[in-house]
Amino acid sequence: MTAPPAPGAPEAPGLTFLTELSVTVGEPIDVGPTPEGHRRVIPITGGTVTGPVLNGRIIPGGADYQLLRTATLTELDARYVLETLDGHRIYVHNSALRHGKVQDIARLNRGERVDANSIYFRCWPRLTTASPEWDWLNGRLAVGTGERHPDQVLIRIFLID
């Protein structure tokens, strides 16, 4: 649900599609209930980066540190490295919220397929690099949408104009 624009409100910034990440994931490591919520760690095993601007692969070795706040709300904190087709590396710190009905979130957590339209999955990835060629990413903000599938996560990243 989106709130209507307030009369006289300034125009919102635009979005430009950067890339789609197809992140392959391993079996969840269940830490269990903690004072903050139920913790899980999802290993990132690789993946692809495909888009009009940024293409390459996801280097295995990252992880998504999840905090199941409630039966319907999960906080995600993924950290991993992309490698461009010409060998430049970009660090990704992707924070996200995933929200849905109790039964849909339970099915996702069991590794079952759930219709992406029934889950609110939005993220704010931060991309940083030492590469002079990709240095412009260090000064940009991005947002994205996500879809969780049994063996992968699809993340579509948009730069905020």
Side-chain angles (χ1 to χ4, degrees):
M1 183 167 140
T2 304
E11 186 175 326
L15 300 175
T16 301
F17 179 61
L18 176 68
T19 197
E20 179 178 271
L21 309 179
S22 176
V23 184
T24 56
V25 294
E27 289 296 317
I29 301 165
D30 196 318
V31 176
T34 70
E36 298 88 10
H38 193 114
R39 289 208 177 268
R40 296 173 3 135
V41 178
I42 313 299
I44 293 174
T45 59
T48 58
V49 181
T50 310
V53 178
L54 180 58
N55 292 279
R57 71 183 183 108
I58 297 167
I59 297 174
D64 182 3
Y65 302 91
Q66 297 185 351
L67 184 59
L68 287 69
R69 288 282 186 188
T70 68
T72 61
L73 179 64
T74 304
E75 291 180 13
L76 308 148
D77 181 17
R79 297 165 190 243
Y80 48 96
V81 177
L82 310 179
E83 185 174 74
T84 65
L85 293 177
D86 53 356
H88 298 277
R89 293 192 171 164
I90 300 169
Y91 178 76
V92 178
H93 180 188
N94 192 15
S95 300
L97 289 177
R98 193 169 63 201
H99 183 270
K101 295 178 181 174
V102 171
Q103 61 272 22
D104 290 334
I105 296 297
R107 288 177 54 218
L108 277 182
N109 290 337
R110 289 192 302 266
E112 298 173 15
R113 187 167 298 280
V114 175
D115 179 7
N117 293 321
S118 62
I119 302 292
Y120 178 89
F121 187 164
R122 301 294 184 267
C123 60
W124 50 102
R126 181 78 170 103
L127 290 79
T128 56
T129 184
S131 166
E133 183 173 327
W134 293 96
D135 179 66
W136 60 273
L137 281 174
N138 293 323
R140 300 299 298 272
L141 293 176
V143 293
T145 62
E147 294 178 18
R148 177 68 163 100
H149 299 279
D151 61 346
Q152 70 175 339
V153 178
L154 294 178
I155 303 289
R156 292 176 185 97
I157 298 176
F158 300 83
L159 296 175
I160 301 174
D161 297 334

